[in-house]
Amino acid sequence: MGEEAAKPSEAEESGNTSSVVVVVPQESESAMRTIPVEGSSSTKSSPWCTPIRLLVIFCVINMLNYIDRGVIASNGVNGDRKKCDKNGVCTAGTGIQGAFDLNNFEDGVLSSAFMVGLLVASPIFASLAKSHNPFRLIGVGLAVWTFATAGCGGSFNYWSIAVCRMLVGVGEASFISLAAPFIDDSAPAAQKTAWLALFYMCIPTGIAIGYVYGGLVGNHLGWRYAFFGEAILMLPFAVLGFVMKPLQLKGFNEAGKAVTSAKTIDPVSGVKGTEVPEGKGDVPAGHGQFSGKISNKTSWSKRALRQISRFGKDMKVLLKDKVYLVNVLGYVAYTFVIGAYSYWGPKAGYSIYQMTNADMTFGGITIICGIVGTLAGGFFLDRISSTINNAFKLLSGATILGGALCFGSFCFKSMYGFIAFFACGQLFLFAAQAPVNFVCLHCVKPSLRPISMAMSTVAIHIFGDVPSSPLVGLLQDRLNNWRNTALILTSIFSVAAGIWFIGVFLHSVDRFDEEENEEDNADTGKSSTTKTSVEENPKRVEPSEP
């Protein structure tokens, strides 16, 4: 073995990479060599994009996403269809509902239309993160979102605005799947849940601001201008996603591939080989050096099949994870109620308590309780030790208390009693936002976090707030009593609390720092002879210079 081969690489000397062992099929024991694996460290940011700045940027983007939810709700439920009296005298409709003459069910479907694009695109973006830089994928999504919101403002009939709402979901999909893993990587170890709480605090805050912003702009300029304003605000962030140096995500290298790749060293000649990406570079029999050459002749169909195969393997891992399944099932029941609250809350408040400014009232409650509750949940979990087991305890306890308070609020005949109890209930309910996403991020390996967040998002929407708005609208059409409708809806919080309580008794392991030991050959579907593992024996590790 040459002396040059025994020297640590420049990457090792810099201390930016992890030391691993690569086992090369060779007769000599010297074939086992410590080498660096690029991208195995935490998120690598550009000099300008510090962790704090990244958190602020992502929080603002997340807030704009949910301001859009508030805008569509405010200008949807605050509108009315054209009405005609017995004498045939008609009054013009108002808002989106009046502009396109929608009934309650159609109005509810319109609020959920963007979910269609979100559900379809989320797993696609999460899968593409393994072959493309995740940060650039966020930029693509934000560009689509900007175009789609502007299209909502320029829509000319019901179907045109419905299609634009679907494209809004496509644009949001990349951000929802990939932003949380970036924040999880950037956050200090002792404050991970608190940082996630700051990020998810933007959900209630954005919806509340959207209520107020949508109501004010809708009443003074018209509902179309509310969407145009959103597009203008998001445009700089869409541009930033393309012009800023792309960030790396833990579990992936610069190209977006899993970190099971390595730069190899020939054990005989000591010459560095080429980088062997995940699933590439089988070793020819009797040869000590990897070719590392990737054929560019692979057809698009084979690439698509490879992506589908990889997605299927990832899904099998998630579906076998009991901790992940219990967490998501509880989140589905929780989101079913929260989604219906966010859309029908103002109209229910106006009907039951004759609130003159129902959207302002609900917006105020949501923004205050959302900020305080979400931050309190994140900081409290960090305080008691942010473990998966403690997260489930917090989720079940906060949800059952919050649900009971909200149920009691709708039993009051006094508006002031309703506001007091409903606000207290919201404080406990929003405390679940950070812990539930902490579990999604930490119960799987780093390379599975994008698909974990994507499928969690798909599940809570397709079974939660997507059907809840039209179903609650249908229930109200039958009962014609908003108080009874609200009580039936609120009782579902007990189901969410019960499911999360089951998670307390499951065996759970935080897998944030866990790395994959073997790579799969993406081209042939066979296990590669290249293996990487984190070196556990310090005597076999070539020390890096400080």
Side-chain angles (χ1 to χ4, degrees), residues 18-22 32-34 532-542:
S18 301
S19 293
V20 299
V21 172
V22 171
M32 187 170 291
R33 181 73 54 81
T34 301
T532 62
S533 62
V534 177
E535 180 58 72
E536 297 178 352
N537 186 351
K539 294 181 180 180
R540 294 168 60 189
V541 179
E542 295 181 6

Side-chain angles (χ1 to χ4, degrees), residues 315-330 388 392 439-440 443-444 499-509 511:
M315 283 301 301
K316 286 181 181 179
V317 174
L318 292 181
L319 292 175
K320 290 180 180 179
D321 193 326
K322 295 180 181 178
V323 173
Y324 180 78
L325 290 178
V326 167
N327 187 56
V328 172
L329 286 175
I388 294 175
F392 276 126
V439 175
C440 279
C443 71
V444 299
I499 294 173
W500 277 329
F501 186 67
I502 296 173
V504 176
F505 303 98
L506 296 177
H507 175 69
S508 57
V509 178
R511 309 181 71 181

Side-chain angles (χ1 to χ4, degrees), residues 338-403:
I338 293 294
Y341 272 180
S342 66
Y343 193 78
W344 292 114
K347 182 159 274 190
Y350 176 80
S351 176
I352 299 173
Y353 299 104
Q354 289 74 51
M355 296 180 182
T356 54
N357 294 306
D359 55 345
M360 299 293 182
T361 302
F362 272 80
I365 293 174
T366 303
I367 194 170
I368 295 173
C369 298
I371 292 174
V372 177
T374 304
L375 291 177
F379 281 101
F380 181 75
L381 183 57
D382 280 335
R383 183 76 174 178
I384 65 175
S385 180
S386 53
T387 64
I388 294 175
N389 186 265
N390 283 341
F392 276 126
K393 292 177 181 177
L394 179 58
L395 288 170
S396 58
T399 304
I400 196 65
L401 286 173

Side-chain angles (χ1 to χ4, degrees), residues 84-410:
C84 299
D85 58 22
K86 297 179 180 179
N87 299 323
V89 179
C90 299
T91 56
T94 59
I96 297 176
Q97 193 172 19
F100 302 121
D101 194 28
L102 309 178
N103 57 36
N104 285 340
F105 180 77
E106 291 172 329
D107 199 8
V109 169
L110 186 60
S111 76
S112 302
F114 83 99
M115 301 284 187
V116 176
L118 184 69
L119 302 182
V120 173
S122 289
I124 294 176
F125 277 112
S127 182
L128 287 175
K130 289 194 172 184
S131 57
H132 298 76
N133 185 275
F135 192 77
R136 287 289 185 256
L137 292 176
I138 291 178
V140 172
L142 296 182
V144 174
W145 192 95
T146 303
F147 169 80
T149 49
C152 289
S155 56
F156 51 87
N157 60 21
Y158 176 70
W159 290 108
S160 65
I161 192 173
V163 170
C164 287
R165 295 306 301 166
M166 293 179 191
L167 290 176
V168 168
V170 172
E172 185 178 333
S174 65
F175 182 76
I176 292 297
S177 303
L178 302 171
F182 273 115
I183 293 174
D184 196 41
D185 284 353
S186 303
Q191 299 176 355
K192 287 186 178 294
T193 319
W195 279 44
L196 288 174
L198 287 168
F199 178 70
Y200 288 104
M201 173 197 72
C202 299
I203 294 177
T205 305
I207 292 176
I209 294 175
Y211 278 144
V212 178
Y213 165 77
L216 290 174
V217 175
N219 291 333
H220 292 83
L221 300 177
W223 60 270
R224 296 181 185 275
Y225 288 92
F227 290 113
F228 292 144
E230 292 177 41
I232 293 172
L233 291 173
M234 184 65 83
L235 182 59
F237 297 101
V239 174
L240 186 66
F242 290 100
V243 300
M244 196 177 83
K245 179 181 177 181
L247 308 181
Q248 295 183 49
L249 189 62
K250 180 180 175 67
F252 302 92
N253 63 20
E254 292 183 3
K257 298 184 183 299
V259 296
T260 53
S261 60
K263 284 188 176 179
T264 62
I265 302 175
D266 186 272
V268 178
S269 65
V271 178
K272 294 181 181 180
T274 57
E275 185 173 356
V276 186
E278 178 188 16
K280 312 284 186 182
D282 289 332
V283 183
H287 200 283
Q289 185 176 3
F290 299 102
S291 65
K293 294 181 180 179
I294 304 173
S295 173
N296 293 322
K297 298 180 180 180
T298 306
S299 65
W300 283 103
S301 60
K302 289 184 178 180
R303 293 180 184 178
L305 289 174
R306 187 184 307 153
Q307 290 285 352
I308 294 172
S309 175
R310 181 181 293 160
F311 174 74
K313 291 178 182 179
D314 291 344
M315 283 301 301
K316 286 181 181 179
V317 174
L318 292 181
L319 292 175
K320 290 180 180 179
D321 193 326
K322 295 180 181 178
V323 173
Y324 180 78
L325 290 178
V326 167
N327 187 56
V328 172
L329 286 175
Y331 203 10
V332 166
Y334 171 92
T335 308
F336 186 95
V337 186
I338 293 294
Y341 272 180
S342 66
Y343 193 78
W344 292 114
K347 182 159 274 190
Y350 176 80
S351 176
I352 299 173
Y353 299 104
Q354 289 74 51
M355 296 180 182
T356 54
N357 294 306
D359 55 345
M360 299 293 182
T361 302
F362 272 80
I365 293 174
T366 303
I367 194 170
I368 295 173
C369 298
I371 292 174
V372 177
T374 304
L375 291 177
F379 281 101
F380 181 75
L381 183 57
D382 280 335
R383 183 76 174 178
I384 65 175
S385 180
S386 53
T387 64
I388 294 175
N389 186 265
N390 283 341
F392 276 126
K393 292 177 181 177
L394 179 58
L395 288 170
S396 58
T399 304
I400 196 65
L401 286 173
L405 287 169
C406 287
F407 188 91
S409 70
F410 286 106

